[in-house]
Amino acid sequence: MTATDSKKKLLFVDDDPAMVKVVGKILGNALGPELIEFHEAESGEKGLEIAGELQPDIVICDINLPGMNGFEFCRKIRQSRLHATVILMSAYDENEDYALEAKETGADAFLIKPIKKGELLFVVNFILRIEHLNETVLGKNHELQEDQRRLNDNLKDIMQMNSKLESQNTQISSMNKELVERFDSTVGLLTNIIELNQSQHRGHSERVAEIAVCIAQNMGMSQDSIGSLRTAARLHELGIVSLPRDETVEEALDEGKSRPVTSHPMVAEMLLKGFAGFESVAELIRHMHENVDGSGKPDGLVGEQIPLGSRILSAASFYDHYMMAHPDSSILEVIKKVEQANGTWFDENVVSFLSGYALSQSQSSDEKTLSCSVFALKEGMVLASDLYSESGINLLRKGTVLDRDMVNKILKFNNVDPIAGQVQVKS
Ligand SMILES: [Fe+2]
């Protein structure tokens, strides 16, 4: 059984040639040249010189040497920071405790002369085992360090990949945001065109969008569905643009009468469905005049066969049309009118949320809105409704906080295309 996998260099320092010969023979016979490389020196000075070049693993040194003694030799070895195991040896002296002094000089073991073969091999083998254990531990440490280095490299790669992914996600988010803004601008342009054609119920599309989104949120619809519904509400009267002017007026005044006969939802669907991004919007508008009892158009769908967004759009549009056509009616009267069609035209659950919205709007508008002339507008005022010119151009949206530049532009625009009616602002 080998105590170590690699050959160890042993330096034996003694001025007694016979002792050197005996020890060399014992170690050579017991361990063999494949385990021990035996070197010798006859003095401490020579031993230090050889040790500096040899870098031995084990040094065995007699204490009683001519010139530098064994203790001094041991101190020099320790000061030189050689990583050698040092064994000092001396003849037995009952008046001296050489072992204690050997320990103080930094020796690792002490042998009493005359050295017995068994004791020498026991000590040397013990040291070789310790060396072997040290090498094993160092090897494991090296492996662990290599594993740690690989883990660090992998971690670095992962962090770099994460960084790239985050960068790509940021770019994608930015592109998505830009696409959404462009899509929204396109919808806004179409909404303005619709409203330019419908001075009788100006702002209807945006109000229906606000009502529909509120109902959808309270009903727990997904953000994607709410987005499609909001767009559908803003464009739900796109088909009316194609109607003759007198029919457009009729639509605005009483949807209750026009609803059973008009086909403008299908016109809007045809205009929209061919454009990417508008497919679900076109579908919602197509079914906005379906009735929950199956008597509606165009497919006679019943109850939940009608897309929920279409059911919401149906009730919200009717509510706002009725408000426009009957400006003297109270909120409760309008709600009552809508509820009369519960279970026939409208989904009862949707109407319930619509009633909640209407009542909350009634309370907030009674408390905070006032009318004023365009010339009384001031910086800091908040618009309580959309601002239109008489020709139907939507200048600013409800909720806009006026600044000095906006007020000046409104007054200049008023000289060219007067502002329609009184301006509603929040008090
Ligand atoms: Fe409508």
Side-chain angles (χ1 to χ4, degrees):
M1 176 180 167
T2 59
T4 179
D5 295 332
S6 59
K7 185 190 287 186
K8 300 297 176 188
K9 290 178 279 190
L10 186 147
L11 175 61
F12 190 79
V13 185
D14 198 322
D15 61 335
D16 181 353
M19 189 67 176
V20 173
K21 190 174 180 182
V22 169
V23 170
K25 191 174 180 182
I26 291 171
L27 294 176
N29 289 340
L31 302 173
E34 67 276 10
L35 286 181
I36 284 288
E37 185 180 303
F38 189 82
H39 298 267
E40 60 184 74
E42 69 277 13
S43 67
E45 290 81 358
K46 189 67 180 174
L48 285 176
E49 184 183 329
I50 293 174
E53 296 173 3
L54 184 65
Q55 299 287 306
D57 302 292
I58 304 169
V59 176
I60 301 176
C61 180
D62 188 22
I63 288 174
N64 296 309
L65 292 171
M68 180 188 298
N69 67 24
F71 296 126
E72 186 62 22
F73 172 80
C74 184
R75 283 194 195 90
K76 297 280 187 189
I77 289 287
R78 289 296 176 239
Q79 288 167 4
S80 71
R81 299 188 179 179
L82 285 172
H83 297 293
T85 300
V86 179
I87 304 169
L88 291 181
M89 58 184 181
S90 171
Y92 177 73
D93 185 339
E94 62 180 356
N95 298 318
E96 297 288 345
D97 192 350
Y98 291 132
L100 185 61
E101 192 172 353
K103 183 187 174 192
E104 290 171 353
T105 56
D108 299 295
F110 186 78
L111 288 172
I112 300 292
K113 287 169 109 177
I115 294 175
K116 296 182 178 63
K117 177 183 175 184
E119 286 179 357
L120 175 66
L121 291 177
F122 182 86
V123 170
V124 171
N125 263 319
F126 177 74
I127 291 168
L128 291 178
R129 286 180 186 279
I130 295 293
E131 288 280 324
H132 175 67
L133 286 173
N134 282 341
E135 285 171 1
T136 303
V137 170
L138 285 172
K140 291 291 178 190
N141 276 344
H142 182 70
E143 286 176 13
L144 285 173
Q145 285 173 354
E146 281 296 303
D147 288 345
Q148 185 67 47
R149 188 187 58 73
R150 280 194 290 272
L151 282 172
N152 287 341
D153 288 346
N154 289 339
L155 190 59
K156 196 184 292 181
D157 289 344
I158 290 169
M159 288 173 73
Q160 285 175 346
M161 285 172 66
N162 272 344
S163 178
K164 282 183 184 174
L165 284 173
E166 281 177 9
S167 174
Q168 287 173 352
N169 281 340
T170 303
Q171 288 177 354
I172 290 170
S173 295
S174 176
M175 289 168 66
N176 278 342
K177 188 180 175 187
E178 191 178 330
L179 284 173
V180 168
E181 286 173 355
R182 287 187 182 182
F183 183 80
D184 209 46
S185 296
T186 304
V187 173
L189 175 63
L190 290 172
T191 306
N192 283 342
I193 292 171
I194 294 167
E195 293 195 342
L196 275 173
N197 197 47
Q198 300 172 0
S199 58
Q200 293 76 18
H201 54 313
R202 197 167 281 151
H204 170 70
S205 299
E206 293 293 352
R207 288 194 299 276
V208 172
E210 180 182 316
I211 297 167
V213 166
C214 180
I215 294 172
Q217 286 172 337
N218 288 331
M219 293 185 79
M221 288 178 71
S222 70
Q223 285 303 310
D224 283 349
S225 298
I226 291 173
S228 294
L229 175 56
R230 178 171 180 269
T231 303
R234 295 176 77 190
L235 301 180
H236 78 279
E237 297 206 338
L238 180 63
I240 292 181
V241 177
S242 67
L243 296 175
R245 188 72 180 167
D246 54 342
E247 288 186 27
T248 304
V249 173
E250 182 71 19
E251 287 279 347
L253 291 179
D254 196 342
E255 196 187 39
K257 288 181 183 174
S258 64
R259 180 177 165 123
V261 295
T262 188
S263 59
H264 75 76
M266 283 191 292
V267 175
E269 182 207 7
M270 283 191 292
L271 289 170
L272 292 171
K273 70 180 180 183
F275 293 93
F278 286 97
E279 299 88 345
S280 60
V281 173
E283 180 74 5
L284 292 177
I285 295 175
R286 173 184 172 86
H287 296 294
M288 63 172 283
H289 283 173
E290 302 280 4
N291 297 331
V292 293
D293 65 359
S295 64
K297 293 172 65 178
D299 300 321
L301 300 182
V302 178
E304 293 187 358
Q305 290 178 339
I306 307 166
L308 177 56
S310 300
R311 280 178 270 156
I312 293 174
L313 189 52
S314 171
S317 174
F318 182 91
Y319 167 83
D320 192 71
H321 277 294
Y322 196 85
M323 287 276 284
M324 293 298 99
H326 304 85
D328 297 329
S329 297
S330 68
I331 291 287
L332 290 176
E333 288 170 332
V334 179
I335 292 173
K336 189 175 178 183
K337 180 66 181 175
V338 177
E339 287 177 342
Q340 283 175 357
N342 249 345
T344 53
W345 284 11
F346 305 129
D347 180 315
E348 292 182 11
N349 199 24
V350 170
V351 171
S352 172
F353 283 103
L354 172 61
S355 300
Y357 167 85
L359 290 171
S360 67
Q361 288 300 109
S362 169
Q363 288 164 0
S364 62
S365 62
D366 287 347
E367 290 168 3
K368 299 178 181 175
T369 303
L370 57 86
S371 301
C372 70
S373 156
V374 67
F375 300 105
L377 291 176
K378 291 178 184 174
E379 184 181 355
M381 284 181 166
V382 181
L383 294 181
S385 63
D386 287 0
L387 187 67
Y388 287 92
S389 72
E390 285 186 352
S391 65
I393 296 173
N394 185 306
L395 299 176
L396 290 170
R397 290 297 183 192
K398 174 184 173 182
T400 302
V401 181
L402 298 180
D403 59 25
R404 187 189 299 272
D405 188 45
M406 286 180 186
V407 173
N408 289 335
K409 284 182 178 174
I410 291 168
L411 291 173
K412 283 182 184 174
F413 199 90
N414 187 60
N415 292 330
V416 180
D417 186 0
I419 303 303
Q422 291 280 295
V423 182
Q424 303 298 313
V425 295
K426 294 182 180 178
S427 57

